[in-house]
Amino acid sequence: MSNIGSLDGLSAYARAARTTNPLGGTGQQTPGTGGSGGLAPGGGFGAMVEGMVSQTGDALRNAETQSIKQIGGKGDLIDVVTAIGAAETALDTVVAVRDRMVSAYSDIMRMQI
């Protein structure tokens, strides 16, 4: 089991924000979020997580499609392995972000007021 440092989480967040904004954005900005400290316009953290989950679902569906093609004799084994690897990486990233969010929430709930 590996630990994810805060810098690793920050760099993953930055990479995800860069990749989800151009592809996953609707082009509309939510009022008050336009220039808020490096967050993606119109979304922020919630939109980034939503984009990550959506991209993970797409990667899993692609891996399934490639596997079905291979079983039917119409696909290439390299495409199957690549798609499964990408889906596994995406799923591991989402699980790691979820674990860090739960950990942060637990820390906040233990704080004394």
Side-chain angles (χ1 to χ4, degrees):
M1 190 163 153
S2 64
N3 288 333
I4 298 177
S6 54
L7 290 179
D8 293 332
L10 181 61
S11 64
Y13 176 77
R15 279 193 310 271
R18 281 193 302 269
T19 59
T20 59
N21 189 22
L23 300 176
T26 61
Q28 300 174 348
Q29 288 191 359
T30 305
T33 60
S36 57
L39 295 177
F45 185 74
M48 188 269 311
V49 171
E50 183 179 344
M52 282 177 54
V53 170
S54 175
Q55 288 178 351
T56 300
D58 292 343
L60 291 169
R61 279 188 286 282
N62 183 35
E64 184 177 315
T65 301
Q66 294 299 328
S67 297
I68 291 170
K69 284 182 183 178
Q70 174 62 26
I71 291 169
K74 299 177 183 176
D76 188 17
L77 184 60
I78 293 173
D79 293 337
V80 174
V81 172
T82 302
I84 289 173
E88 182 180 15
T89 301
L91 187 60
D92 288 344
T93 301
V94 169
V95 168
V97 169
R98 183 218 46 203
D99 291 345
R100 294 296 290 182
M101 286 173 37
V102 168
S103 175
Y105 178 78
S106 296
D107 290 345
I108 290 169
M109 293 307 294
R110 282 186 292 227
M111 287 181 179
Q112 300 246 342
I113 298 178

